[in-house]
Amino acid sequence: MTQEVDNNPQDDENKIPVNIITGFLGSGKTTLLNHWVNSPELKDTLVLINEFGDVGLDHELVESVDSSVVLLQSGCICCSLQGALVDSLATNLIKAQRGEIPQFKRVIIETTGLADPSGVISTLCGDDFLLDHYYHDGTITVLDGMYVREQLKNQYEAVKQIALADLIIVSKTDKMQEDKILTVVDQLKEKNEHALIITTAINLLDSNKLLETLEKSVSLRQELYEQMMEEH
């Protein structure tokens, strides 16, 4: 039986959290995404990507719902971003309410390597429909520790990805000396003093703890913002 589509604003506790994962090609962004969608804690997740082949998720696409949506063996829903972000989020919410795809409790948006995440964040925080049903639950930026310094010098997008991050994961630190890691962390703090920085190998990260860490960082940023607004 087809469910009625609920377009009414949701209470804050019923809104769906949305996480953004950003980072340059080769940074480990896909490794993190694979790690997350294979975690039991995130089985009820909608993953929005640009193209299925671009991300290369390393598990079987077990069922094709239509040309842009597949159900993964882990229980996640993987959707190729066709058209505007607002349309994709609205369409998949309606599909879930109608029972055409499983209900999802979280959304992960994977951006292209050179993307400035500010556009995605602005969309999430500026569209009335999305504000009624979703909320931005933090941005994760994944960086290749061996090339951070070079990217900061040559790529403006890298600076934006760091500045807008709530959580920064520095990958490939197993190939770096301790003093080099500390130098990178200091550089990142100069660009974003409020983001939490993790240098643990991605495959060793606990998904629940990662989400808890991200939520703490988002809460801290919100508190600082509210303090700033009160002062002015």
Side-chain angles (χ1 to χ4, degrees):
M1 182 177 177
T2 302
Q3 293 180 299
E4 293 295 323
V5 178
D6 182 9
N7 285 324
N8 295 318
Q10 300 296 305
D11 296 333
D12 288 346
E13 61 183 20
N14 292 322
K15 291 181 181 180
I16 299 171
V18 180
N19 299 114
I20 301 167
I21 298 180
T22 188
F24 277 26
L25 182 67
S27 64
K29 181 177 56 176
T30 300
T31 302
L32 175 63
L33 189 58
N34 272 309
H35 180 64
W36 260 19
V37 299
N38 280 303
S39 301
E41 301 89 348
L42 292 173
K43 65 182 181 64
D44 299 319
T45 298
L46 170 67
V47 183
L48 296 183
I49 61 178
N50 293 287
E51 295 291 343
F52 297 128
D54 291 346
V55 177
L57 295 169
D58 61 7
H59 45 278
E60 297 178 19
L61 306 180
V62 295
E63 182 180 348
S64 177
V65 177
D66 56 34
S67 61
S68 67
V69 179
V70 290
L71 305 183
L72 306 182
Q73 197 168 33
S74 62
C76 288
I77 309 157
C78 192
C79 178
S80 178
L81 262 173
Q82 297 182 348
L85 176 61
V86 176
D87 291 341
S88 292
L89 287 170
T91 298
N92 282 287
L93 180 65
I94 291 170
K95 284 181 177 179
Q97 291 175 346
R98 288 175 173 169
E100 296 173 12
I101 60 174
Q103 296 281 342
F104 52 91
K105 298 178 180 178
R106 180 176 297 274
V107 177
I108 296 176
I109 300 173
E110 182 270 345
T111 69
T112 57
L114 291 175
D116 176 352
S118 62
V120 179
I121 296 171
S122 297
T123 300
L124 291 172
C125 300
D127 181 84
D128 289 340
F129 178 85
L130 297 188
L131 287 171
D132 286 343
H133 296 87
Y134 298 94
Y135 67 94
H136 177 223
D137 194 38
T139 298
I140 300 175
T141 295
V142 186
L143 300 169
D144 184 331
M146 301 179 68
Y147 296 103
V148 170
R149 299 176 69 181
E150 179 181 336
Q151 289 172 344
L152 286 174
K153 290 180 181 178
N154 302 320
Q155 298 286 354
Y156 173 71
E157 292 84 1
V159 178
K160 288 297 289 290
Q161 289 177 359
I162 292 167
L164 293 171
D166 297 290
L167 177 65
I168 299 172
I169 297 176
V170 183
S171 68
K172 304 181 183 177
T173 51
D174 57 321
K175 301 177 182 178
M176 301 170 61
Q177 295 180 347
E178 186 65 27
D179 61 329
K180 298 293 185 183
I181 297 173
L182 294 175
T183 299
V184 167
V185 170
D186 287 340
Q187 285 184 305
L188 296 176
K189 287 181 177 179
E190 289 178 3
K191 302 296 181 184
N192 185 341
E193 61 180 326
H194 302 304
L196 297 179
I197 301 172
I198 294 178
T199 58
T200 306
I202 291 174
N203 62 336
L204 298 178
L205 293 173
D206 179 272
S207 297
N208 274 336
K209 290 183 179 178
L210 189 62
L211 285 174
E212 290 173 3
T213 302
L214 180 58
E215 288 171 2
K216 289 178 183 177
S217 184
V218 172
S219 296
L220 176 61
R221 184 185 287 264
Q222 183 62 32
E223 288 174 8
L224 292 170
Y225 175 77
E226 291 173 356
Q227 289 176 9
M228 182 183 70
M229 294 301 292
E230 289 176 359
E231 291 171 359
H232 293 79

